[in-house]
Amino acid sequence: MTDLPKHIAVIMDGNGRWARQRGLPRSAGHQAGVKATRKIVEHCVRLQTEALTIYAFSSENWRRPEKEVNFLMELFIKAIGSELNKLHENNIRVQFIGELTKFPDGLLHEIKLATEKTAQNTGLRLNIAVNYGGRNELTNAMVQIAAKVEAGELSSKSITEDVILQHSWLPDCPEPDLFVRTGGEQRLSNYLLWHIAYTELSFTDTLWPDFDGDELDKLIEQYTQRQRRFGQTGEQVQASE
Ligand code: FPP
């Protein structure tokens, strides 16, 4: 049996389809998606999960209709604003990963407030990926490392996997143990590419607004039945348990 996952990474997919199935606008699906997010955060607090990393907005999501992008920005501003006290009371440390510069001032303000207010909290680490792309994260790390090499602060020989991790947007989180994607698609969509090299992948057809603690428990249960080998043989892993 594998221990409970310390870090869970989630792609919350299916808000639009959930709304379409009910004859509602996509915006209603996103609103229902916020409610589902709240439930999953609460559930992870109960499970004493160390970190939960959710994909709220990818660097490719800017390609959606302007109306939907604007709605999502407003929704994030409202959701962070109205949830912040509760997140803080629950000792949750909120961090945002991604290229934050492109966002409207109102959202940047909420992001700063949430990050600063919860910075000293020691409970669940809630990482919210916004304008995030895995390739972008790696490119950004390479650029920083190259600048240090050019400036003579780092020698090219001392570039290790750990140095790359330290220049990533999640330098001090345990690697995700479990990746969950709702909404039926089975792809990574440029999510956490560096960090999920050995993560166990789990896909469910459930649309994000319908996803809840019971369903997460089922996926965690399946995860605990898996043997994580990290390149070793099954026999080696058994012998070391
Ligand atoms: C996927 O549904 C979801 C998103 C693009 C992101 C929006 C996420 C939320 C509103 C959840 C709450 C997040 C926070 C940080 C409070 P989709 O539109 O891709 O669905 P579809 O594939 O069915 O069209």
Side-chain angles (χ1 to χ4, degrees):
M1 282 272 280
T2 300
D3 293 338
L4 292 184
K6 290 190 180 69
H7 182 175
I8 303 174
V10 182
I11 296 187
M12 314 178 285
D13 199 8
N15 294 349
R17 278 164 286 160
W18 182 92
R20 187 158 15 103
Q21 284 172 3
R22 288 161 179 76
L24 298 169
R26 292 178 60 82
S27 54
H30 293 313
Q31 271 160 338
V34 173
K35 287 193 191 150
T37 308
R38 189 189 298 132
K39 281 198 222 146
I40 293 304
V41 171
E42 285 168 0
H43 199 70
C44 287
V45 170
R46 276 197 293 278
L47 292 175
Q48 298 186 315
T49 310
E50 251 179 75
L52 172 67
T53 302
I54 55 175
Y55 210 173
F57 195 85
S58 76
S59 41
E60 288 74 32
N61 284 152
W62 296 106
R63 295 186 195 146
R64 292 191 174 201
E66 199 185 330
K67 202 172 133 212
E68 181 167 342
V69 170
N70 291 340
F71 179 84
L72 281 171
M73 296 298 143
E74 285 301 317
L75 187 68
F76 293 150
I77 294 172
K78 276 195 221 134
I80 300 167
S82 65
E83 300 296 329
L84 182 55
N85 283 338
K86 208 160 165 229
L87 292 166
H88 187 49
E89 281 162 20
N90 280 286
N91 197 22
I92 296 170
R93 178 172 160 198
V94 188
Q95 281 184 304
F96 294 82
I97 57 169
E99 199 85 66
L100 301 181
T101 45
K102 267 179 97 177
F103 289 112
D105 287 346
L107 183 54
L108 290 177
H109 177 71
E110 293 297 336
I111 286 177
K112 189 164 177 277
L113 263 184
T115 309
E116 288 176 0
K117 188 175 170 104
T118 64
Q120 304 305 322
N121 290 345
T122 54
L124 175 72
R125 294 186 57 167
L126 176 62
N127 305 311
I128 306 179
V130 282
N131 193 20
Y132 174 88
R135 289 181 178 173
N136 191 13
E137 178 184 29
L138 284 175
T139 307
N140 199 59
M142 309 291 169
V143 169
Q144 285 183 60
I145 292 169
K148 287 188 184 168
V149 172
E150 250 172 29
E153 290 166 27
L154 192 69
S155 89
S156 60
K157 286 196 185 68
S158 57
I159 300 171
T160 58
E161 290 185 6
D162 191 52
V163 169
I164 295 173
L165 177 69
Q166 291 315 316
H167 290 82
S168 79
W169 287 324
L170 282 176
D172 56 357
C173 239
E175 275 180 20
D177 301 296
L178 174 63
F179 161 100
V180 173
R181 181 174 188 144
T182 63
E185 312 289 354
Q186 303 204 350
R187 52 176 171 258
L188 298 177
S189 298
N190 202 13
Y191 194 40
L192 301 176
L193 295 180
W194 178 268
H195 309 282
I196 57 173
Y198 278 99
T199 301
E200 295 294 327
L201 306 181
S202 196
F203 299 93
T204 168
D205 288 339
T206 304
L207 304 174
W208 179 249
D210 291 328
F211 191 75
D212 59 12
D214 285 348
E215 184 129 11
L216 180 59
D217 282 345
K218 276 187 215 142
L219 300 182
I220 291 177
E221 166 73 21
Q222 287 165 13
Y223 162 87
T224 62
Q225 306 297 325
R226 298 186 191 178
Q227 186 189 51
R228 302 188 72 194
R229 291 201 281 275
F230 299 98
Q232 290 186 307
T233 66
E235 291 73 22
Q236 282 175 303
V237 175
Q238 265 165 8
S240 66
E241 273 170 0

